Amino acid sequence: MIKIIKISIVTLLSLIFLAIASLYIGLQLSLPRLTGEMSTAQISQTVTIERDRLGTAVINGEHRQDVAYGLGFAHGQDRFFQMDLLRRNAAGELSELSELFGAGAIELDKRHRFHQLRKRAEAIFTKLPQAQQQLLEHYSAGVNAALAQQKLRSFEYILIQAKPQPWRPSDSILVIYSMYLDLQSNTINRDMTLTMIESQFGKPMRRFITQTSNYQAALDDSLFPSDPPALPDLAAKLLTSARDSVIDEPQELGSNNWAVTGEHTQSGRGMLSDDMHLSFAVPIIWYRSQLNYPDAAGEQHQVTGVTLPGAPAIVVGSNGMVAWGFTNAYIDTADWIALDDNEPITIVNETIKLPQGEVDYPLSVSKFGPVKNIDGQSYALAWVAHQAYAVDMELMTLETAKNVKQALENASRFGIPVQNLVVADAQGDAGWRVAGAYPARRQPSDVALEASKVNQALWADRITDIPQVLTPNNGLIWSANARVMSTQDAQRFGDGGYALGARSAQIRDRLQQQQTFDEQDFYQIQLDNQALFYLPWQDMLITALMSQPQRFAKDIQYLKQWQACACSDSIGFTLVKYFRSRLIDRSFAPLETELNSLSLSLGPVKRYLEPAMWQLLREQPRSWLPAEFASWQAFVIDSYLQSTQALLTKYSSTNDYQDLAWGKVNTLAIQHPFSRQMPILSRFLDMPTVVGFGDTFMPAVQGRSFGASQRFIVQPGLEDRAILTVPGGQSGHPLSRFYRKGFDEYAAQKSTPLLPQAIEEKLTLRPLKN
């Protein structure tokens, strides 16, 4: 009997060993080939793909189309699964890939099918200029050649038991549409939320909520009046509403970027900084690349920066003469249109395929756009992404721009989600311009419009008169998702969900405090986590708690020792931040409850509530005070007690305030999509967790899985001194030595070089001889 048990145990262990060995061998076989030579009939001359210690893809070719093929090949080798997710995300086809993504994927697919983006992408591709079509075809061919070269499909497809589908040229347009969904969905949701606030609570409430903040940092120093509006009373029926709602605050997808002219650098060249704030995942969204090729006139071009796997362009980078970067512009790119009962509506059936079966999604469509019904009213959505000019490849003209002026002129044709483009050049100039798709309509609206007031023709045409700034007198340019343009231009372009402005103002002030900058000076601004925005909140909270000094002695001590920064060891910062959020949630809970009944939320406009909250604290209206409190001070203190207890419950098993240090609460945890569904895979797939720093209302933006997706600083022509730090590796394959390369440097706030270092791998692609 004992002998049988021993044999069984040995057999079981042997089977486990064989399974692990088979898995490891399979994963090894699925690694891409990075060295040697290959032949293909799809290039005209030899293309090389080199990689340095970080896995930076250095593509060398004799034609831009051949370089597109090489970049597609590199993307296909290292990032195909992530590219697949991006195209499926935009098209509303995630559910088809795997049941691993759960029922939530079906609802996400429905939300994205609402826009019919696959159909639109295919239509746009057919209308692109021939040269752009050919470029996407070459890129697509490179991606598919990399797929065909794999000995075994990548581990993601093995795990979910799916087969990768070939890449199509129109899929690259879907990848850009995926960025539209990330960057402009909050604009759409914001306008509907404001429409319902006005409908349910009246115009005075909408004006109260959207009142102008004191944090304004336009380039021309123009100011909108920030006098508070009349404070509306809460309706009697809302006074008894529960005050336990949590208003989810959408992540502020955007960026910081700024530039100085040559008068502020020792070299006399302009200098640019750019860090784009996005959600984090493994692998990180960007892919380090350098493209080397001659143009038709024989002039050699070297362009270094980051690409978006799925598209053939350098998104942010430098060509040695001009450097460029982006922040999300947050101008108003969408309008809801209230339809009357006589408006013709067509029902289109969208079929969402599943691994087993399918789901029908009936979509209502009007001449203005897709339709949804809220509270018995039908609304059509007019959105710039639905227009024929929404996507093109004109961004690639930056690769060959020779100066700031030329770059800004080219930007008028960009088919991308509308951005603040900031550029600097080797001649010492710097500039800013709104760049991207924007309609010619002249009167953007925060709330739904009557159909009779909508001119469809103006939506079909893109704008031509776009504001810009070229080499300002003070030599300084900045943007950080708040209003950059003048108050006059802002009325023309509308508000699509601007950031509050505190971050932008802090960057502006840092730039104005110094005369001359180098790369490390810019890097320190990127890492600036001073909590200037929270100073009034800290002061107000201490004042409230001092009414009971013995009871709150420990709390007051932590608040006074908070260091005025989102520092990793600051307990006081954590207390202040969460108190502020809890007080806002409870104060506006009656509105949130009503909106929730319509499947809506104040979330899309929570960033606007700062000045409204301070108005409530100043005026202390009885109609807004919960009935169980005798005073606003009692309400403030109770909100602090709630927020602090919630923190202790979540982060400390012993109710120890030391566990509330901001670095612990805000730990940086970058996860692979699979480990979120299967935590057992976390140690194999995720980046190491890192003590966090930074927050939202300061230049150093960081959350638990959100923040600066790259840190880029360069003086054009001095790329050997430039910085490009990325929070993750190049490869999406966990056995690749490039899987985590670069992350440790990002986490340690080190300056990773922009330019590729010594080449360690070289793959040569040769044209197939007839």
Side-chain angles (χ1 to χ4, degrees):
M1 185 67 179
I2 295 176
K3 184 177 181 180
I4 293 174
I5 293 174
K6 287 182 177 180
I7 292 173
S8 299
I9 292 173
V10 170
T11 301
L12 178 61
L13 292 175
S14 298
L15 290 173
I16 292 173
F17 173 79
L18 288 172
I20 294 173
S22 298
L23 177 62
Y24 182 80
I25 292 171
L27 288 173
Q28 284 285 348
L29 288 174
S30 67
L31 280 167
R33 177 184 174 186
L34 304 182
T35 60
E37 293 192 3
M38 298 176 59
S39 296
T40 173
Q42 295 165 313
I43 55 177
S44 60
Q45 296 190 49
T46 299
V47 173
T48 61
I49 305 173
E50 301 171 333
R51 289 174 169 88
D52 70 353
R53 70 173 181 87
L54 294 173
T56 305
V58 181
I59 317 295
N60 304 286
E62 297 303 317
H63 299 283
R64 185 61 179 87
Q65 290 184 354
D66 284 351
V67 167
Y69 180 92
L71 183 61
F73 195 95
H75 283 168
Q77 285 186 308
D78 289 334
R79 296 291 191 88
F80 185 80
F81 184 70
Q82 289 70 42
M83 294 161 59
D84 195 7
L85 292 183
L86 284 174
R87 65 175 171 178
R88 289 177 179 275
N89 175 64
E93 297 170 358
L94 282 171
S95 302
E96 180 183 5
L97 190 58
S98 172
E99 294 177 352
L100 178 68
F101 298 112
I106 298 176
E107 294 307 310
L108 180 64
D109 281 349
K110 288 180 179 179
R111 291 201 300 273
H112 292 178
R113 284 291 182 95
F114 181 77
H115 303 291
Q116 298 181 296
L117 295 180
R118 179 170 287 285
K119 180 185 75 174
R120 298 182 196 280
E122 292 170 352
I124 283 177
F125 176 75
T126 64
K127 296 178 182 178
L128 288 176
Q130 185 178 17
Q132 294 186 21
Q133 288 187 8
Q134 291 175 345
L135 194 86
L136 290 178
E137 288 168 349
H138 276 73
Y139 176 83
S140 181
V143 173
N144 291 325
L147 279 184
Q149 176 264 339
Q150 286 184 322
K151 295 179 182 177
L152 194 68
R153 57 188 168 168
S154 66
F155 86 97
E156 298 100 336
Y157 293 100
I158 294 173
L159 188 62
I160 64 176
Q161 298 182 338
K163 182 179 179 181
Q165 299 301 309
W167 195 260
R168 294 183 285 184
S170 60
D171 289 340
S172 293
I173 297 173
L174 280 173
V175 166
I176 298 172
Y177 269 136
S178 200
M179 298 306 295
Y180 266 100
L181 291 168
D182 275 353
L183 298 174
Q184 294 187 5
S185 288
N186 194 65
T187 297
I188 297 169
N189 297 334
R190 166 194 178 275
D191 283 8
M192 181 53 71
T193 293
L194 292 178
T195 296
M196 288 299 107
I197 288 173
E198 184 167 301
S199 170
Q200 300 293 316
F201 309 110
K203 286 184 180 181
M205 184 67 76
R206 199 243 311 165
R207 292 181 183 131
F208 169 62
I209 285 175
T210 58
Q211 63 181 280
T212 303
S213 163
N214 288 325
Y215 295 103
Q216 300 182 56
L219 291 179
D220 68 345
D221 293 326
S222 60
L223 297 173
F224 278 113
S226 57
D227 298 329
L231 203 161
D233 289 333
L234 277 182
K237 68 173 183 176
L238 300 179
L239 294 178
T240 58
S241 296
R243 297 295 180 116
D244 56 359
S245 298
V246 175
I247 305 170
D248 291 330
E249 190 164 2
Q251 291 172 327
E252 206 164 84
L253 298 176
S255 318
N256 300 325
N257 67 352
W258 61 87
V260 297
T261 60
E263 68 178 284
H264 293 289
T265 64
Q266 290 185 348
S267 68
R269 300 170 184 269
M271 186 159 64
L272 172 83
S273 174
D274 183 87
D275 55 294
M276 296 181 283
H277 308 149
L278 297 169
S279 297
F280 288 160
V282 177
I284 208 68
I285 188 170
W286 306 118
Y287 186 82
R288 304 173 67 104
S289 306
Q290 184 183 86
L291 310 181
N292 297 280
Y293 62 93
D295 60 24
E299 184 178 355
Q300 190 69 30
H301 297 281
Q302 181 177 93
V303 194
T304 312
V306 294
T307 54
L308 174 63
I314 297 286
V315 178
V316 167
S318 176
N319 65 15
M321 296 175 286
V322 174
W324 62 93
F326 296 101
T327 68
N328 200 30
Y330 280 113
I331 57 178
D332 193 351
T333 56
D335 285 330
W336 287 102
I337 300 147
L339 305 179
D340 59 36
D341 294 338
N342 298 320
E343 185 66 41
I345 293 178
T346 302
I347 305 298
V348 177
N349 190 62
E350 291 282 329
T351 300
I352 299 174
K353 294 182 179 179
L354 309 175
Q356 304 292 329
E358 58 188 33
V359 173
D360 288 333
Y361 170 52
L363 173 64
S364 300
V365 180
S366 73
K367 66 182 180 183
F368 300 105
V371 177
K372 68 167 49 179
N373 189 284
I374 298 179
D375 199 28
Q377 171 67 54
S378 292
Y379 298 92
L381 176 66
W383 183 28
V384 70
H386 297 163
Q387 310 308 315
Y389 53 82
V391 181
D392 58 36
M393 294 295 117
E394 291 294 328
L395 173 66
M396 294 173 55
T397 60
L398 290 175
E399 295 180 6
T400 57
K402 297 183 183 300
N403 52 55
V404 166
K405 183 178 179 181
Q406 184 181 4
L408 295 181
E409 290 172 352
N410 293 345
S412 65
R413 305 188 300 272
F414 289 179
I416 58 174
V418 67
Q419 301 286 295
N420 293 305
L421 168 67
V422 174
V423 289
D425 67 24
Q427 300 169 32
D429 290 324
W432 161 84
R433 182 183 182 124
V434 172
Y438 191 81
R441 64 99 153 79
R442 291 277 170 180
Q443 294 180 317
S445 177
D446 284 344
V447 295
L449 298 165
E450 296 177 12
S452 61
K453 295 182 179 179
V454 178
N455 186 335
Q456 285 183 274
L458 294 179
W459 272 98
D461 290 336
R462 68 182 300 164
I463 193 171
T464 55
D465 53 325
I466 300 174
Q468 69 175 44
V469 173
L470 174 61
T471 309
N473 292 333
N474 64 0
L476 307 175
I477 287 176
W478 60 87
S479 77
N481 309 123
R483 178 174 63 87
V484 179
M485 60 185 67
S486 68
T487 52
Q488 182 178 355
D489 285 332
Q491 294 178 62
R492 160 74 180 85
F493 287 87
D495 181 351
Y498 279 137
L500 187 60
R503 177 161 45 93
S504 187
Q506 194 161 329
I507 292 169
R508 175 202 61 196
D509 295 345
R510 287 290 301 269
L511 290 173
Q512 292 178 347
Q513 291 166 4
Q514 193 167 331
Q515 178 58 35
T516 304
F517 300 87
D518 61 19
E519 288 81 0
Q520 288 303 318
D521 292 324
F522 270 23
Y523 203 46
Q524 290 309 306
I525 297 177
Q526 287 193 3
L527 299 175
D528 178 11
N529 63 352
Q530 286 186 293
L532 303 183
F533 168 81
Y534 288 99
L535 285 171
W537 286 101
Q538 182 249 12
D539 182 67
M540 185 268 285
L541 180 55
I542 289 178
T543 299
L545 298 186
M546 284 295 291
S547 65
Q548 302 178 53
Q550 292 184 336
R551 180 184 181 187
F552 294 112
K554 180 172 65 174
D555 304 76
I556 293 168
Q557 180 182 5
Y558 284 126
L559 290 168
K560 287 184 175 180
Q561 296 174 351
W562 75 316
Q563 305 173 64
C565 66
C567 299
S568 59
D569 59 347
S570 177
I571 297 168
F573 178 81
T574 305
L575 298 177
V576 172
K577 175 182 172 63
Y578 278 80
F579 157 70
R580 170 188 174 271
S581 184
R582 187 66 188 130
L583 182 63
I584 290 174
D585 288 350
R586 297 183 78 195
S587 297
F588 291 91
L591 277 66
E592 177 72 358
T593 300
E594 290 294 303
L595 290 172
N596 288 168
S597 68
L598 302 173
S599 300
L600 295 171
S601 170
L602 281 171
V605 298
K606 189 174 183 180
R607 66 187 65 167
Y608 291 93
L609 300 181
E610 175 76 6
M613 186 68 246
W614 280 108
Q615 184 177 356
L616 289 175
L617 290 170
R618 285 193 306 270
E619 300 185 19
Q620 300 191 3
R622 183 68 211 182
S623 69
W624 283 76
L625 183 66
E628 63 268 29
F629 295 101
S631 69
W632 272 85
Q633 179 167 281
F635 178 45
V636 165
I637 291 174
D638 189 72
S639 296
Y640 171 73
L641 290 170
Q642 281 199 14
S643 65
T644 303
Q645 187 55 54
L647 281 166
L648 290 169
T649 300
K650 184 173 183 178
Y651 295 105
S652 179
S653 59
T654 58
N655 270 11
D656 186 350
Y657 276 54
Q658 294 300 316
D659 292 329
L660 303 186
W662 181 237
K664 296 179 181 179
V665 173
N666 196 39
T667 298
L668 180 62
I670 306 180
Q671 293 184 279
H672 192 282
F674 285 179
S675 71
R676 293 172 182 168
Q677 303 296 326
M678 295 177 286
I680 194 173
L681 297 177
S682 182
R683 61 176 297 190
F684 305 106
L685 298 181
D686 296 348
M687 294 296 114
T689 56
V690 177
V691 171
F693 83 110
D695 186 44
T696 303
F697 302 108
M698 56 192 63
V701 170
Q702 192 227 295
R704 290 182 60 84
S705 59
F706 180 82
S709 59
Q710 43 69 252
R711 299 191 186 280
F712 175 60
I713 302 168
V714 64
Q715 297 183 61
L718 298 179
E719 282 74 16
D720 58 331
R721 291 161 46 176
I723 297 168
L724 177 59
T725 308
V726 179
Q730 287 280 95
S731 175
H733 197 298
L735 293 188
S736 168
R737 62 193 178 93
F738 303 127
Y739 186 69
R740 292 185 173 88
K741 280 292 182 69
F743 174 79
D744 289 343
E745 293 165 56
Y746 177 93
Q749 301 174 12
K750 293 182 179 179
S751 305
T752 309
L754 165 68
L755 289 180
Q757 305 302 290
I759 298 302
E760 298 182 0
E761 309 279 0
K762 182 177 180 179
L763 180 65
T764 301
L765 308 179
R766 299 194 185 279
L768 191 64
K769 297 180 180 179
N770 295 329

